[in-house]
Amino acid sequence: MIPMLSLQECVSLAIVVAWVVLLSFCKADPASNREAAALLNWKDSLPNQSVFNSWVSPIHTNNPTPLSPCRWYGITCNNAGSVNQIDLPGKGINGTLKNFDFSSFPNLVRLDLQRNNFGGSIPYNIGMVSKLQLLDLSTNSLNGPLPLSLANLTLLSKLDVSGNQITGILDSRLFLGESSTQPKIGLLSLKYLLLQDTQLGGKIPQEIGNLKFLVTLVLDKNHFNGPIPPSFGNLSHLQILNLGNNQLSGNIPSTLATLRNLTDLRLLANNLSGIVPSELGKFSSLTALHLEDNNFTGRLPPQVCRGGKLVNFTAESNMFTGPIPISLRYCPTLYRLGLQQNQLTGHIDQDLGVYPNLTYILLSSNKLRGELSPKWGECRSLALLSIAGNMISGKIPNEIVQLDQLEKLDLSSNKLSGEIPPQIGNLSKLAFLSLQDNQLSGRIPERIGSLSNLESLDLSTNMLSGSIPSQIANCHKLRTLNLSKNKLSGTIPDEIGNLSNSLHDLLDLSYNSLSGEIPEELGMLSGLEKLNLSHNNLTGPIPDLLSSMGSLTYIDLSNNFLESPLPDLKEYRKPPLPKASTNGINLCGNITAMRSCTETRYVRTKISYEDILEGTQNFDDMYCIGEGGFGKVYIAYIPGHDV
């Protein structure tokens, strides 16, 4: 029989058991215990989340052997059992770093908490993890300034706080460097400094030039202003420099052209001005150069592709003059080229070569001459070709139909002549085709109906003749169709009505020589917003079905030979009268000042100026039905006369 223990004996026994458990726990490394306690304390300050399920205190387990934090998810320890890595990227963790005790991790070299939902500020005591080499807090919701204590992390190789709401300035004291009177301080070991897409502002510290090991500097999408520090020329190891989308001003320092390891330079979308250093690219093998959306003048650097490795080059929306850089002619690696909206001169067939990897080329709105080279048909990866608004002449080469990856072709506002290549229907991926404002002649190819992905077709302001091919109706994705200001004849194809599911933006067939009646099938375009059939030879009645086109915001049927009531469109039901002209012969309708359709039609006779004054009440605006480049259009009912 086991004797009953007294209350005092039970208490003594419990104390002994507790000491046994505590002593067994203390067999572990004291530093490891401190780290475990700090991690558990931080965990307890956060909302309950499954990512921390393995973070359990020994007191909550039946295992007498202490659980080391080294076995917890996201935790790595060194050979001595001390935590040296915390890796929890992309786990959707909510909470803050407020209760994270950085002082408890003397051996931490890596802290990766990127792509989570951390809020609040970066704690000031983060500078106590003096051995830290990687700190990645990017893509969270952190706010407030960068703590100056970061300057204590003299071994830090990578700092990334991109994609947060970090505010304030980038303090120059973070990069002070070594001094004969003070110990080494500052982020002097940095190789990668990434602060993109935050709310940082002010001037970029010239002290960044002290970071002699820096390889990548990314400060884009912030509010930095002032000049680019010339001290960046001291960054001899720098490969990537991204300062885009800020408010930087001044010139590009000539010292940047001396960086022999520089491969990627992005200065886009700033207020930079002046001349780009002519030697840029001469001493390095640039793969990317982005200068667009600034106020640069002068010439583009001629040796930009001297290393023969340039992939992306964009300099649009500046005021560059002179020729296209000569080194681009022999640059087979080119993938994207954007030089539009400048004042560049030269001949494109002489200044550009063949680029087997090129996906888009934008040269619009310059002063380029020459002809489209047949060799461009060898750029088989080309998806976007835009050379609008230049002085390109000659014919569209037939070889262009070999570009089976082409999605956008814009050759508008040039001096192109000849016919549209008949096999243009081979461009099966084409979604945007604009050849407007040229001197093209001949017929519209029937094969254009094979462009099943075409969404916008603009062939206006040319000298195209013949009839409108009914095959256009096979372009079932077509939203915009503009064939105005040509010499087209024949009737409007009934088949256009089959585009009722797509043709919503514009149908413009004005200023041609189209004849016959308006097909009733046009009324099937119920989603169409703008319709212009003016200045043709159309006759007969206006289809009643047009009254079902409830989406119309603009209609112009003027300068034809139409007769019948105007359609009961919503824009005619209430004042003011529509801006679009509806002037025509023998028109009537339920519109102020227009002849009622129940009245007798009058024979056309000579109308005096006085009749017009009387019929429009001295050109009162209530009789104005349209306004264009040649003035206003008025409509009046004059008894005894037709309108």
Side-chain angles (χ1 to χ4, degrees):
M1 182 176 179
I2 301 175
M4 297 292 292
L5 297 177
S6 67
L7 178 61
Q8 183 177 359
E9 290 173 324
C10 288
V11 172
S12 299
L13 181 60
I15 293 174
V16 171
V17 172
W19 272 105
V20 170
V21 173
L22 183 60
L23 288 172
S24 64
F25 182 72
C26 290
K27 290 180 180 178
D29 180 61
S32 178
N33 293 336
R34 185 172 66 253
E35 293 166 348
L39 290 171
L40 290 173
N41 182 62
W42 180 51
K43 170 193 171 184
D44 291 341
S45 72
L46 305 176
N48 187 28
Q49 295 163 90
S50 60
V51 68
F52 299 115
N53 284 349
S54 64
W55 292 23
V56 181
S57 170
I59 200 169
H60 296 148
T61 68
N62 295 322
N63 189 344
T65 304
L67 291 178
S68 168
C70 308
R71 301 164 67 179
W72 293 352
Y73 182 81
I75 305 298
T76 304
C77 296
N78 58 22
N79 293 334
S82 180
V83 174
N84 67 349
Q85 295 187 33
I86 301 177
D87 292 289
L88 296 168
K91 302 304 176 185
I93 303 173
N94 296 293
T96 71
L97 299 175
K98 179 180 179 181
N99 293 299
F100 191 100
D101 185 4
F102 291 94
S103 65
S104 296
F105 301 93
N107 297 304
L108 192 65
V109 297
R110 179 183 177 93
L111 177 60
D112 187 352
L113 301 177
Q114 62 176 301
R115 293 180 289 112
N116 283 292
N117 301 315
F118 288 111
S121 60
I122 302 174
Y124 188 82
N125 64 351
I126 195 170
M128 301 186 72
V129 283
S130 58
K131 293 183 180 179
L132 202 62
Q133 298 177 21
L134 180 145
L135 176 59
D136 194 338
L137 304 176
S138 62
T139 319
N140 280 284
S141 299
L142 298 168
N143 53 52
L146 289 175
L148 189 56
S149 67
L150 287 171
N152 296 328
L153 306 182
T154 57
L155 300 179
L156 197 65
S157 176
K158 178 178 179 180
L159 173 61
D160 190 352
V161 295
S162 302
N164 285 286
Q165 298 299 311
I166 305 298
T167 56
I169 65 169
L170 188 56
D171 200 310
S172 62
R173 290 174 289 180
L174 292 171
F175 318 103
L176 278 181
E178 299 184 66
S179 169
S180 59
T181 60
Q182 294 180 344
K184 178 180 178 183
I185 189 171
L187 298 168
L188 299 179
S189 298
L190 276 183
K191 291 183 178 179
Y192 308 94
L193 177 58
L194 301 102
L195 305 177
Q196 68 182 138
D197 195 14
T198 74
Q199 299 296 318
L200 286 168
K203 291 181 169 54
I204 299 175
Q206 63 176 355
E207 287 79 3
I208 289 180
N210 295 329
L211 307 181
K212 58 183 179 180
F213 301 110
L214 201 62
V215 172
T216 297
L217 177 59
V218 177
L219 303 179
D220 65 307
K221 298 180 183 177
N222 283 291
H223 303 293
F224 291 116
N225 55 52
I228 300 172
S231 62
F232 282 7
N234 299 330
L235 304 174
S236 58
H237 294 280
L238 196 64
Q239 297 177 11
I240 298 174
L241 177 58
N242 189 347
L243 306 178
N245 292 278
N246 282 286
Q247 289 99 48
L248 300 174
S249 57
N251 299 340
I252 299 177
S254 59
T255 54
L256 292 188
T258 65
L259 297 176
R260 295 181 178 272
N261 290 300
L262 191 64
T263 60
D264 192 326
L265 177 59
R266 302 174 188 241
L267 305 177
L268 64 150
N270 279 288
N271 298 315
L272 297 168
S273 58
I275 297 175
V276 176
S278 60
E279 294 188 330
L280 195 63
K282 181 178 181 180
F283 301 114
S284 63
S285 296
L286 284 175
T287 60
L289 176 60
H290 295 277
L291 305 174
E292 68 263 33
D293 295 317
N294 280 287
N295 301 307
F296 292 124
T297 55
R299 298 193 171 195
L300 291 165
Q303 303 300 329
V304 66
C305 190
R306 182 176 181 179
K309 297 180 180 180
L310 192 64
V311 175
N312 293 332
F313 180 31
T314 56
E316 63 260 29
S317 300
N318 281 284
M319 294 177 282
F320 286 114
T321 56
I324 294 172
I326 188 172
S327 59
L328 288 184
R329 183 174 177 83
Y330 310 101
C331 194
T333 55
L334 208 57
Y335 180 76
R336 291 184 176 183
L337 177 63
L339 305 179
Q340 74 270 28
Q341 296 180 5
N342 283 288
Q343 301 175 38
L344 300 175
T345 56
H347 291 72
I348 60 171
D349 49 337
Q350 300 175 15
D351 298 338
L352 295 172
V354 175
Y355 312 102
N357 301 315
L358 194 67
T359 59
Y360 80 61
I361 180 169
L362 305 175
L363 301 173
S364 298
S365 301
N366 280 289
K367 298 179 180 180
L368 299 171
R369 298 177 180 272
E371 299 185 0
L372 298 174
S373 172
K375 292 183 178 181
W376 283 21
E378 301 175 31
C379 303
R380 301 299 295 271
S381 299
L382 202 59
L384 193 159
L385 174 58
S386 180
I387 317 180
N390 282 283
M391 294 177 279
I392 310 302
S393 58
K395 297 182 178 181
I396 301 175
N398 290 326
E399 288 80 1
I400 208 165
V401 303
Q402 300 173 11
L403 304 177
D404 53 10
Q405 301 300 310
L406 203 60
E407 298 176 10
K408 179 176 180 178
L409 176 60
D410 189 354
L411 305 177
S412 60
S413 299
N414 279 290
K415 297 182 179 181
L416 296 170
S417 58
E419 298 185 356
I420 300 173
Q423 301 302 317
I424 198 167
N426 292 350
L427 303 177
S428 59
K429 293 187 177 181
L430 201 62
F432 181 98
L433 175 59
S434 181
L435 305 177
Q436 70 179 94
D437 191 19
N438 279 288
Q439 300 166 17
L440 298 172
S441 57
R443 304 175 69 91
I444 299 175
E446 294 182 356
R447 286 289 309 279
I448 213 164
S450 300
L451 301 176
S452 58
N453 288 299
L454 196 64
E455 298 179 17
S456 178
L457 175 61
D458 193 341
L459 306 179
S460 62
T461 318
N462 280 287
M463 297 183 288
L464 299 172
S465 58
S467 59
I468 300 174
S470 61
Q471 290 84 351
I472 283 182
N474 295 331
C475 303
H476 295 299
K477 295 183 180 180
L478 200 62
R479 297 181 58 88
T480 297
L481 176 58
N482 192 346
L483 306 179
S484 64
K485 298 181 181 178
N486 279 288
K487 299 179 179 180
L488 299 173
S489 58
T491 60
I492 299 174
D494 300 347
E495 291 83 354
I496 289 181
N498 297 335
L499 297 173
S500 58
N501 292 329
S502 64
L503 196 56
H504 294 160
D505 296 342
L506 171 69
L507 174 58
D508 192 345
L509 307 179
S510 62
Y511 289 92
N512 280 289
S513 299
L514 300 173
S515 58
E517 298 184 356
I518 299 175
E520 290 196 9
E521 288 78 2
L522 245 56
M524 299 171 62
L525 303 176
S526 58
L528 190 65
E529 294 183 1
K530 297 179 181 179
L531 173 64
N532 193 346
L533 304 179
S534 67
H535 295 85
N536 279 289
N537 299 317
L538 300 174
T539 58
I542 301 174
D544 293 335
L545 277 175
L546 289 187
S547 62
S548 65
M549 301 173 70
S551 296
L552 277 178
T553 60
Y554 178 98
I555 182 172
D556 193 343
L557 307 178
S558 66
N559 291 281
N560 281 289
F561 299 93
L562 301 170
E563 56 181 77
S564 80
L566 282 170
D568 186 22
L569 294 168
K570 66 179 182 180
E571 61 260 41
Y572 296 133
R573 296 174 191 155
K574 57 184 178 180
L577 292 176
K579 292 183 179 179
S581 172
T582 53
N583 185 32
I585 298 175
N586 292 332
L587 293 181
C588 61
N590 187 23
I591 299 177
T592 303
M594 180 171 279
R595 175 173 61 85
S596 170
C597 295
T598 60
E599 297 179 15
T600 304
R601 287 174 51 190
Y602 297 94
V603 179
R604 182 190 303 272
T605 59
K606 186 175 180 180
I607 301 174
S608 68
Y609 182 69
E610 288 75 15
D611 292 331
I612 297 174
L613 287 176
E614 180 180 356
T616 60
Q617 297 184 24
N618 290 321
F619 296 105
D620 191 283
D621 284 346
M622 68 179 294
Y623 295 92
C624 180
I625 63 172
E627 185 172 356
F630 296 98
K632 296 182 178 180
V633 178
Y634 294 82
I635 191 165
Y637 165 54
I638 304 175
H641 298 79
D642 201 356
V643 291

